[in-house]
Amino acid sequence: MYRSLFAALSVCLLLVSVNPCQSLATSKRAVHAPALQSIQSAIQTAGSSAQPVPVLVRGIVILNGHQLVIEDRTGATEVKSTQTEPIALGDEVEVTGWMSVTSRPQVMKAQVRRLWGGSMPLPLSITPDVAADGENELSLVQTEAVLLDASPAGLTGVQLNFRGGYQNFAAILPNGNLNDELPENLMQPGARLRLTGILFENHDPSRNRDEAFTLELRTPQDVELIEGPSWWTRGHIVLLAGIIVVLILIFWNLYARVYHARYRAVAEERASIARDIHDTLAQTFAGMTLQLEAAQRTITRDPAQSRAFLIEALQMARHSRNESHLSIEILHSLSRDERLENLISTCISKMQVSNSMAIEQQVSGAPIALSYQVVNNLFRIGQEAIANSVRHSNATQIAVRICYEKKDVLLEVEDNGNGFDPKLIPGTEQGHFGLTGMRERAAAIGSALQLDSMPSGTRMRVRVTI
């Protein structure tokens, strides 16, 4: 009996001696193996301590390149791990280590254990101005901005520089993710892009101060084109300004040419009027002077001869008066932009002397503007031809045809009168200027008078090339 009691007492003493050791070990493990907590709670705990604190957190891998970043529903942290276990984006992991928030949240000397595979969380959509305030650092964010330029970034891959809102920032795509190059349309300055990446605030004063933050991209699929670059770039504006200047110079040159062409046309018409006056009135006055001087010399010794000289001078004066009235009428008509057919029509109405004679005007083609010289000479040729038919042909029908063509104009006067022999018509020596004047006027506008006369009628034609 005593033997059994001693054995029981020995067992009790052994249990008592073992339990304190187990309790001490359990207590030490409780100190070095912290309880699982959210990332934001771990950040707050580390922020209130001057030394790194042990943490145990879980999260989804949102960056796994040369940096490892995990995120849960409350926040995100960078993980400094020494292990090489492959971890994919979207995997859920458990991290044990020491957290510090000196510059940004970091879990150092971390042990990372993959729990299971998963999917990437949806990015937080923010503006560049909100991204610059520092509240979403290390989070997976999505923002929109305009590309300023792109350049190689050494070992870090490609750096894209952006402007969005009031912020300048950079987006970096590491070399390890450049298996698929960025499309050319995503690399054009001025393009508006949508970016998805991990937000890193600029805590390093040695870096470019204009960059408020940096987005760490994972793959080229993190860059999406929203809108192509505007055409109104600085280069295009300079090009457009140059084109406008060239067009202004061309327009000014054309305007100067047109102005000088009009000036030359006016000068040529004035010269033509001066030549017309010289060839009609001045020459007639010169002839009248000669006749009057001859009459003055013979008035005492040969009154009959003197009388003939005076009669010839009178005829020439009447002819000059008619020519001057006609020139004035033509100038007034041309100043009112009247066309050749209107002048001929007025002439016909004045020469319609009886009901037994029908004078008809026919106009074909699209009327075109003619110079004073052409209108003046054609009108006078037509007037003389109509007058000859009315006075001398005994015709009952007179047709006046004006035909406008692309490059010339045709004037034709035809009657059904008696006809005549052009060789028997008196010339300028006898004081008759009609047919000779018509030929001279046709030659003055680069044409020739065509005259066909038969006992059944007479036809006169003048074709002028414009």
Side-chain angles (χ1 to χ4, degrees):
M1 178 179 178
Y2 289 106
R3 185 179 296 175
S4 61
L5 288 175
F6 179 77
L9 182 59
S10 298
V11 170
C12 291
L13 292 174
L14 180 62
L15 290 175
V16 171
S17 63
V18 171
N19 284 339
C21 295
Q22 290 178 344
S23 299
L24 181 60
T26 302
S27 176
K28 288 182 180 180
R29 282 198 302 268
V31 172
H32 294 290
L36 180 65
Q37 60 187 141
S38 67
I39 293 178
Q40 184 61 34
S41 175
I43 293 173
Q44 292 176 353
T45 302
S48 61
S49 173
Q51 300 295 328
V53 297
V55 294
L56 173 62
V57 293
R58 288 180 180 178
I60 297 174
V61 177
I62 59 175
L63 181 65
N64 67 339
H66 62 282
Q67 293 172 287
L68 178 63
V69 178
I70 65 171
E71 181 182 69
D72 67 5
R73 295 181 180 179
T74 63
T77 182
E78 186 178 1
V79 177
K80 298 292 186 178
S81 174
T82 57
Q83 66 189 83
T84 59
E85 179 182 354
I87 298 174
L89 291 174
D91 287 349
E92 185 164 353
V93 296
E94 183 178 82
V95 177
T96 305
W98 299 82
M99 176 167 281
S100 170
V101 292
T102 304
S103 58
R104 62 173 62 96
Q106 293 180 341
V107 179
M108 300 175 294
K109 299 179 181 180
Q111 296 294 322
V112 180
R113 184 167 65 93
R114 181 178 182 275
L115 300 179
W116 49 74
S119 59
M120 289 291 295
L122 293 176
L124 175 65
S125 181
I126 58 177
T127 65
D129 293 329
V130 174
D133 62 17
E135 294 185 0
N136 299 285
E137 187 167 19
L138 298 178
S139 297
L140 180 64
V141 300
Q142 187 176 82
T143 189
E144 297 178 5
V146 176
L147 178 64
L148 300 179
D149 56 55
S151 60
L155 298 177
T156 58
V158 176
Q159 176 171 326
L160 307 176
N161 298 313
F162 290 90
R163 176 72 178 178
Y166 295 98
Q167 310 298 327
N168 286 348
F169 65 95
I172 296 178
L173 186 63
N175 272 331
N177 297 324
L178 289 178
N179 294 328
D180 298 325
E181 294 184 357
L182 288 172
E184 187 67 26
N185 60 346
L186 299 182
M187 304 292 285
Q188 297 179 358
R192 187 169 186 82
L193 306 178
R194 180 180 292 117
L195 308 168
T196 303
I198 312 304
L199 176 62
F200 288 88
E201 299 293 338
N202 185 6
H203 299 288
D204 187 356
S206 63
R207 294 184 59 186
N208 189 351
R209 295 184 179 180
D210 290 337
E211 296 177 2
F213 58 90
T214 300
L215 286 182
E216 189 80 18
L217 308 178
R218 288 87 47 86
T219 66
Q221 285 68 39
D222 286 338
V223 183
E224 179 184 355
L225 177 66
I226 298 176
E227 184 180 359
S230 172
W231 189 88
W232 297 102
T233 62
R234 180 179 299 177
H236 286 166
I237 292 175
V238 172
L239 177 62
L240 181 61
I243 293 174
I244 291 175
V245 170
V246 172
L247 291 178
I248 290 175
L249 292 177
I250 293 175
F251 174 78
W252 180 258
N253 187 34
L254 292 177
Y255 173 78
R257 290 189 177 185
V258 171
Y259 176 80
H260 288 298
R262 290 182 178 177
Y263 181 80
R264 286 194 302 269
V266 171
E268 289 174 359
E269 289 204 355
R270 289 178 179 176
S272 177
I273 295 172
R275 287 192 302 269
D276 188 54
I277 293 174
H278 176 269
D279 294 340
T280 56
L281 300 180
Q283 295 294 337
T284 304
F285 286 146
M288 290 171 56
T289 301
L290 293 175
Q291 297 297 325
L292 292 175
E293 288 176 349
Q296 183 181 19
R297 288 193 301 267
T298 59
I299 191 170
T300 55
R301 69 173 183 271
D302 191 354
Q305 184 65 37
S306 178
R307 190 172 190 281
F309 288 145
L310 291 175
I311 292 174
E312 184 67 24
L314 181 60
Q315 279 187 339
M316 297 178 71
R318 288 172 178 169
H319 179 75
S320 297
R321 182 193 60 186
N322 294 336
E323 289 289 319
S324 63
H325 287 171
L326 186 57
S327 296
I328 293 172
E329 182 178 357
I330 292 175
L331 288 174
H332 279 302
S333 300
L334 291 177
S335 67
R336 296 191 299 269
D337 293 329
E338 291 193 17
R339 296 190 295 268
L340 175 63
E341 59 269 23
N342 295 336
L343 297 174
I344 296 291
S345 178
T346 303
C347 176
I348 291 174
S349 64
K350 291 181 179 180
M351 292 189 180
Q352 189 79 44
V353 294
S354 65
N355 295 331
S356 61
M357 179 182 295
I359 305 177
E360 180 184 6
Q361 177 176 285
Q362 302 171 2
V363 181
S364 62
I368 56 178
L370 303 173
S371 67
Y372 164 80
Q373 184 178 12
V374 173
V375 172
N376 179 37
N377 286 289
L378 284 180
F379 173 62
R380 294 197 179 197
I381 292 171
Q383 183 188 44
E384 186 68 25
I386 296 170
N388 290 337
S389 296
V390 171
R391 294 170 185 168
H392 307 298
S393 68
N394 296 321
T396 58
Q397 291 183 349
I398 301 174
V400 182
R401 303 182 185 94
I402 302 174
C403 180
Y404 290 101
E405 298 179 1
K406 290 184 178 181
K407 296 183 178 181
D408 52 35
V409 58
L410 171 67
L411 173 64
E412 182 178 88
V413 179
E414 184 176 8
D415 63 52
N416 62 350
N418 300 329
F420 64 94
D421 186 355
K423 296 179 181 179
L424 301 178
I425 297 299
T428 56
E429 300 83 6
Q430 292 80 30
H432 296 276
F433 304 96
L435 190 57
T436 301
M438 292 167 66
R439 288 195 175 99
E440 290 177 351
R441 290 186 181 281
I445 54 179
S447 181
L449 183 71
Q450 299 179 11
L451 188 62
D452 299 321
S453 185
M454 298 175 291
S456 59
T458 301
R459 183 176 64 182
M460 183 278 304
R461 293 165 59 94
V462 177
R463 184 182 295 274
V464 182
T465 303
I466 304 302

